[in-house]
Amino acid sequence: MGAWLRKKPVDDVNPDDVPTGQIPAAIIAEADGETSPSEGTEAVDAASKTDVESTTTGPADLEQALADRQALIQLCLYALDRARSGGVVERLEHGLAGIGVRALRPDGQRFDPTVHEAGGAVATEDPALEGLVAETEVVGFADHERVLRAPIVIVYAKKAL
C-alpha cells in the first residue's frame, strides 16, 4: 500500500513499506510495452459495435438540450459584456463561433435599421460614407441566421451646414 494511504506508521512487521520515490523496473517495462502477451492486460475488441441502439430518448430531451444551449449562450453573452480582458473576450467569441453563434460587427456596411440599432451619428462631408456604419459600439450576435442581439452602431451622417 502506498505511503499516502497507510493508516498505521511503519513498524518492524513491514519495514519494506517505506516510500523510496523510485518506480520499480517491472512497472516501467510494462508501461514501455515490454511485457509479454501473457502478462498485463489482454487485447480487446473495438469499443464501437455496429448493433448498438441509439441513445436518443425523445423530443423532450431535445427540447431540454436546446433550452440548455440557449441558457449557456445567454450566459456567455453576459460574461462577454463584463469581461475586462481582450483575451477572454476573444476566447468566448471563438467558442461561440464554434457552435454557430457569430459576433456582428458591421463596420463599413450600409446601416440597416432592421438588423442594426443606431447609437449615434458622426458627421461626414464625404457623400460616399453617408449611411455607412462608422463604428460598432456594442457587438451584436446571431445564432446561425437568427439575431440574438442587434449591434449598436455609430452611423456616418451628412454634415449639417
Side-chain angles (χ1 to χ4, degrees), residues 30-48:
E30 182 179 336
D32 289 340
E34 297 174 7
T35 59
S36 66
S38 62
E39 300 174 6
T41 59
E42 298 177 15
V44 294
D45 294 334
S48 297

Side-chain angles (χ1 to χ4, degrees), residues 28-92:
I28 294 172
E30 182 179 336
D32 289 340
E34 297 174 7
T35 59
S36 66
S38 62
E39 300 174 6
T41 59
E42 298 177 15
V44 294
D45 294 334
S48 297
K49 303 216 185 267
T50 58
D51 62 341
V52 175
E53 293 181 28
S54 172
T55 59
T56 305
T57 57
D61 290 336
L62 177 59
E63 288 175 21
Q64 182 62 50
L66 290 172
D68 291 348
R69 179 180 183 274
Q70 287 304 314
L72 288 170
I73 289 170
Q74 291 303 317
L75 181 63
C76 286
L77 295 181
Y78 178 85
L80 271 166
D81 289 343
R82 285 147 185 84
R84 297 188 184 273
S85 164
V88 170
V89 169
E90 185 178 324
R91 179 64 188 104
L92 284 168

Side-chain angles (χ1 to χ4, degrees), residues 74-150:
Q74 291 303 317
L75 181 63
C76 286
L77 295 181
Y78 178 85
L80 271 166
D81 289 343
R82 285 147 185 84
R84 297 188 184 273
S85 164
V88 170
V89 169
E90 185 178 324
R91 179 64 188 104
L92 284 168
E93 283 187 12
H94 181 75
L96 287 169
I99 63 165
V101 177
R102 60 188 167 81
L104 302 175
R105 288 185 183 86
D107 297 5
Q109 295 178 9
R110 174 95 18 222
F111 175 73
D112 181 353
T114 63
V115 290
H116 307 138
E117 183 178 328
V122 62
T124 182
E125 294 179 3
D126 186 351
L129 292 177
E130 191 176 335
L132 296 181
V133 174
E135 179 183 352
T136 302
E137 279 189 322
V138 178
V139 178
F141 287 91
D143 186 1
H144 298 283
E145 298 305 314
R146 190 174 127 246
V147 175
L148 300 173
R149 179 172 76 190

